[in-house]
Amino acid sequence: MKILDQYILRRFLYNFFSSFFILIVIFIFQGIWLFIDDLAGKGLGMVIIGKFIFYFIPTLVDKVLPLTVLLSSILTFGTFAENYEFAAMKASGISLQRGMRSLIVFVLFLGLVTFFFANDVIPKSEQKMFNLRRNIAKVKPAAAITEGVFSDFEGTGEGMNIKVDKKYGEQDRFLDNVIIHKKTEQNINNTVIKAKSGELISSEESDIIQLVLKDGHYYEEVLPKDSKEKRKQPFAKSNFETYTINIDISELNEQDLEEDQNITTNKMKNVGRLIKDIDSLRENNLEKVAAFSKNVVNRMGAFQNTVPQDSTQKNLEAIKRDTIEEAKQDSIKTIDEFIKSLVQWEQIQVMKKAQNEVSSILNTVVAKKDELQSRYKFYNSHILSLHQKYALALSCIILFFVGAPLGAIIRKGGLGLPMVVAIILFLTYYFIGVFAGNYAKEGNIHPALGAWLPTLIMLPLGISLTRRATADKGLIGFGHFIDRIKSIFKKKAKEAEDQ
């Protein structure tokens, strides 16, 4: 049996590594298109581009590995069934489960390796890739400018945000419709510059990059030291045909492309960090909600909490009430009575004030709602990422039990039908995961269910296919339905003859 186990394992490993290599190359080229604007035409060396691709490859494992397991298992067992090797095994008394024994051990080991990748390698690769793109943008300032959005010029002597509608020319040096916000030392935007066009001029021998703006306007808010002058809100405004900004990049030339920055997203965190951050995020969100709720209640002046008083204080108040004349009872018991007790102009004033207060509270609630939704979306993404690491490892095992019996049933080897079936099943699995993940982030379903849903859907399919392959049944059997229908007609015909 050891010879048979080695033979089955060797055939599976050949299909596994062949499929993995082909798929990883396809996904690499597909992924490079996402970052082609950050890499092409920026004067980057092949070493930097090679590092970027090297860091990018591990991030593809969560897509490539499940598809590889599914495809290689269909190919292996489909070839066995097509060449009647399974028929020979069954004639020798070897069941499908017994033939899969060596592969089950390998797939279980593969699940552990996959979890290690998802927990340690992929987060580190995400962090390295993110920091490499960030540091490339520092060394190559043109790469830091993204069309249509405000981009930060980091590491320069004076901070600024810049937005352009279009970049073109050699290394994207020419800019259209430039808007610049300059920052003060307190990180406040007090200067706005607009220009119809611009050009980045640099030299390898110089540490200065010139940003030449043409046909624009300059606006600066003046910040005087005297508080009385601040009330006048002075500003400076001018028009220009050509305006040059010199950017010192001496610090950027010493920038380390491998420098690690802070971990910012859930994809860059391992299980231990995710569990810790989930607890802190939950506590922080509850504190934010409680504080906001208390603030709204206080502004409304309703639902006042009754604070229990000390018994000695109550006794003192009782003594005072005994010694003081009985207070007059308030004759106003309802809001309508209170409004009617006021003159007309007082009624209008009270109603306007109440309306403004309610409108202010509603605006505050709407603004806070968006903030809290983004907070809970960030919190849900952490829970989703945590469970996805475990679900990815188990999905490789589940998809093996889907692909192996499916290959034995369809009895077809090669890259034709098995490839089509594998792609259809994987796309079903993948799109279920994408939709479930999006619903989980929005809070429509629990994040744990969003991570496990595609695996839970594939689990009964794997069990059903394994049972059908063990019993030598087809992919879809209608025989028992037809037999049941025939038996019903025969029974009715017999009853008619007896009558």
Side-chain angles (χ1 to χ4, degrees), residues 166-203:
K166 184 180 179 182
K167 301 186 298 182
Y168 60 96
E170 183 182 0
Q171 297 186 359
D172 292 338
R173 56 183 294 189
F174 298 105
L175 314 173
D176 277 349
N177 294 329
V178 184
I179 301 176
I180 297 176
H181 289 175
K182 281 191 176 182
K183 301 177 183 179
T184 62
E185 295 180 356
Q186 292 77 25
N187 204 30
I188 299 175
N189 294 331
N190 71 322
T191 303
V192 179
I193 304 174
K194 292 184 178 181
K196 291 185 178 180
S197 63
E199 180 182 0
L200 286 168
I201 301 175
S202 62
S203 173

Side-chain angles (χ1 to χ4, degrees), residues 336-388:
D336 291 336
E337 292 180 1
F338 170 72
I339 296 296
K340 291 179 180 179
S341 66
L342 302 176
V343 296
Q344 186 175 7
W345 69 270
E346 289 177 333
Q347 292 179 6
I348 297 174
Q349 188 177 15
V350 168
M351 298 299 290
K352 284 186 176 180
K353 185 176 181 180
Q355 185 180 8
N356 293 335
E357 192 68 25
V358 171
S359 178
S360 176
I361 291 175
L362 288 177
N363 291 334
T364 304
V365 170
V366 171
K368 199 67 177 181
K369 178 184 176 182
D370 296 336
E371 178 187 347
L372 292 176
Q373 283 180 342
S374 63
R375 282 180 171 273
Y376 275 95
K377 186 176 181 179
F378 188 65
Y379 169 71
N380 290 335
S381 67
H382 277 66
I383 300 178
L384 180 68
S385 181
L386 174 64
H387 286 273
Q388 281 177 339

Side-chain angles (χ1 to χ4, degrees), residues 86 90 96 408-409 411 466-475:
F86 261 136
K90 292 178 180 179
L96 175 65
I409 291 174
R411 300 177 182 180
T466 303
R467 293 178 62 181
R468 297 190 70 84
T470 304
D472 285 333
K473 294 182 179 179
L475 185 60

Side-chain angles (χ1 to χ4, degrees), residues 312-490:
T312 58
Q313 185 70 20
K314 291 181 179 179
N315 293 333
L316 291 174
E317 291 180 356
I319 295 171
K320 290 179 180 179
R321 284 196 301 269
D322 292 338
T323 57
I324 300 175
E325 296 180 358
E326 185 178 356
K328 294 181 180 180
Q329 295 293 331
D330 191 359
S331 59
I332 299 176
K333 296 181 180 180
T334 63
I335 297 177
D336 291 336
E337 292 180 1
F338 170 72
I339 296 296
K340 291 179 180 179
S341 66
L342 302 176
V343 296
Q344 186 175 7
W345 69 270
E346 289 177 333
Q347 292 179 6
I348 297 174
Q349 188 177 15
V350 168
M351 298 299 290
K352 284 186 176 180
K353 185 176 181 180
Q355 185 180 8
N356 293 335
E357 192 68 25
V358 171
S359 178
S360 176
I361 291 175
L362 288 177
N363 291 334
T364 304
V365 170
V366 171
K368 199 67 177 181
K369 178 184 176 182
D370 296 336
E371 178 187 347
L372 292 176
Q373 283 180 342
S374 63
R375 282 180 171 273
Y376 275 95
K377 186 176 181 179
F378 188 65
Y379 169 71
N380 290 335
S381 67
H382 277 66
I383 300 178
L384 180 68
S385 181
L386 174 64
H387 286 273
Q388 281 177 339
K389 296 182 185 300
Y390 296 102
L392 176 62
L394 187 60
S395 66
C396 295
I397 302 174
I398 299 300
L399 290 178
F400 169 76
F401 284 99
V402 172
L406 186 60
I409 291 174
I410 62 177
R411 300 177 182 180
K412 201 71 175 175
L415 293 175
L417 182 61
M419 175 68 82
V420 174
V421 174
I423 291 176
I424 292 174
L425 285 174
F426 176 76
L427 289 178
T428 304
Y429 165 83
Y430 180 73
F431 282 119
I432 291 174
V434 171
F435 286 117
N438 291 336
Y439 276 110
K441 290 179 182 178
E442 297 296 336
N444 297 322
I445 60 175
H446 194 277
L449 179 61
W452 288 100
L453 186 60
T455 305
L456 294 176
I457 291 177
M458 288 295 173
L459 178 60
L461 178 62
I463 295 174
S464 175
L465 289 174
T466 303
R467 293 178 62 181
R468 297 190 70 84
T470 304
D472 285 333
K473 294 182 179 179
L475 185 60
I476 301 176
F478 297 100
H480 62 287
F481 291 109
I482 296 174
D483 293 338
R484 185 178 293 275
I485 293 173
K486 287 182 178 179
S487 64
I488 292 174
F489 280 108
K490 287 180 179 179

Side-chain angles (χ1 to χ4, degrees), residues 139-151:
V139 177
K140 304 292 182 180
I145 303 174
T146 304
E147 295 180 351
V149 298
F150 279 99
S151 305

Side-chain angles (χ1 to χ4, degrees), residues 37 77 97 101 198 232 246 279 321 387 405:
D37 291 337
F77 286 85
Q97 289 82 356
R101 188 175 68 176
K232 299 179 181 179
N246 293 322
D279 291 337
R321 284 196 301 269
H387 286 273

